[in-house]
Amino acid sequence: MKKLITLALFLCLPASIFAEAKDLRIVTLNGTVSEIVFALGKGKLVVGNDTSSLYPPEALALPKVGYQRALSAEGILSLKPNLILGLEYAGPPEVIEQLKSAGIKVIIYPGSPGVEPALNNILAIGKDIGAEKEAQKIVQDIRKKHSKIAEKVSKLKSKPKVLFVYHRGTSLAQVSGTETPADEMIRLGGGINAVNGFKGFKPITPEAVIAAQPDIILIPSRGLESLGGKDGVFSLPGVKDTPAGKKARVVSIDDLVLLGFGPRLGQGIEELFESFHSKTSEKK
């Protein structure tokens, strides 16, 4: 505790330090936030981030402060930040309060999936770290790509049923219902979520997978890797008895591109549309 108090006193910096972006020492608490800061050209100001910060490689190489939902104040304070940026998942709440009590500026952004919330976060972060023009440029690029795909989606005569599978290692396998980033991305890419009777995620069962009759299995690239590739996906209970299993249709995209709703959102929407509506495409 003594160490924590000492660090807190050291970090009680005057508000004027935020007047110059070059003086910032930023800790980011979320992979999407990290990616946004780097995309805005301010990566050199980041002194640490959480374990979900996987992109770009420069972010991956920085000191880690733990996972965004299980943070400790002491680890963050040891990096001597004067600005901490995160999404609403950051916690536990008492740690966030400890950081604020230490005199550090802590900004928490909404985490709702969707194009407009994502664009709002990019603009807000740009404003908060002195990169408003760069943020506007990224937002315009995402809007352009989204509009192009939305027009194509509006003309579709049919849409594939897509089952999103979240998998790590050998024991955790869940499918995505509604009101999740995966559900929103499936819609943006011109697909239909194959399971919509519940919100959030639920463990996968053979009966549920077969009943869903998905045309495509969608899985983040790290999940595909943990399964050992496409053969691992087809070995999941029930998958081989679905149209996706019989036609070997698996779409896999980088985790943050697919679910991050960050600066590569437009790229993710384009990749999904191309994968969903190509007879042969199988993104890896």
Side-chain angles (χ1 to χ4, degrees):
M1 180 57 74
K2 184 178 180 180
K3 184 177 179 182
L4 188 64
I5 294 173
T6 302
L7 283 167
L9 291 172
F10 176 84
L11 292 163
C12 285
L13 300 171
S16 59
I17 195 168
F18 302 110
E20 294 292 339
K22 64 182 176 59
D23 295 327
L24 293 177
R25 290 179 58 83
I26 303 172
V27 167
T28 52
L29 305 180
N30 173 270
T32 297
V33 173
S34 298
E35 190 174 337
I36 291 171
V37 173
F38 275 84
L40 294 174
K42 300 295 184 180
K44 290 183 178 179
L45 302 178
V46 181
V47 296
N49 54 36
D50 87 315
T51 55
S52 72
S53 300
L54 303 173
Y55 184 88
E58 296 92 325
L60 192 60
L62 287 170
K64 299 300 178 185
V65 298
Y67 181 57
Q68 59 181 329
R69 298 179 189 269
L71 301 165
S72 73
E74 189 164 316
I76 296 172
L77 292 172
S78 69
L79 298 173
K80 302 176 182 177
N82 51 30
L83 179 61
I84 297 173
L85 307 175
L87 295 186
E88 58 191 5
Y89 322 118
E94 55 268 28
V95 170
I96 301 302
E97 288 306 312
Q98 278 183 302
L99 296 171
K100 292 178 179 177
S101 297
I104 303 172
K105 188 172 185 178
V106 180
I107 305 177
I108 302 298
Y109 306 94
S112 303
V115 174
E116 289 306 317
L119 300 185
N120 289 338
N121 278 350
I122 292 170
L123 292 173
I125 292 173
K127 183 178 181 180
D128 291 331
I129 64 173
E132 292 178 88
K133 289 184 179 178
E134 292 84 353
Q136 286 286 354
K137 185 177 180 181
I138 292 173
V139 165
Q140 289 172 6
D141 178 67
I142 294 174
R143 284 196 188 282
K144 183 178 179 180
K145 290 176 178 175
H146 172 231
S147 296
K148 182 183 70 175
I149 299 302
E151 183 178 358
K152 292 182 178 180
V153 169
S154 70
K155 296 177 181 176
L156 291 173
K157 294 181 179 178
S158 64
K159 298 178 181 179
K161 293 173 66 178
V162 181
L163 181 69
F164 176 85
V165 175
Y166 182 84
H167 194 281
R168 286 288 184 276
T170 58
S171 59
L172 177 61
Q174 297 182 322
V175 297
S176 171
T178 60
E179 299 186 19
T180 65
D183 179 65
E184 180 68 3
M185 286 299 286
I186 289 171
R187 185 185 67 78
L188 292 170
I192 298 173
N193 193 341
V195 289
N196 53 24
F198 59 90
K199 298 177 182 178
F201 290 84
K202 280 188 174 182
I204 197 170
T205 66
E207 294 77 13
V209 171
I210 295 170
Q213 287 291 288
D215 301 299
I216 296 171
I217 303 295
L218 175 62
I219 183 169
S221 56
R222 295 181 75 202
L224 182 67
E225 183 179 346
S226 76
L227 281 168
K230 285 194 300 180
D231 289 343
V233 176
F234 299 136
S235 70
L236 291 174
V239 169
K240 66 180 181 181
D241 295 319
T242 68
K246 293 173 182 175
K247 296 181 180 179
R249 293 206 68 189
V250 175
V251 173
S252 181
I253 294 177
D254 175 90
D255 296 47
L256 280 173
V257 173
L258 177 60
L259 304 173
F261 285 86
R264 293 183 289 168
L265 174 59
Q267 173 190 337
I269 295 171
E270 286 184 331
E271 286 192 26
L272 277 185
F273 182 84
E274 292 169 3
S275 299
F276 288 171
H277 302 286
S278 168
K279 293 182 180 179
T280 57
S281 66
E282 290 180 3
K283 290 284 182 182
K284 286 187 175 181

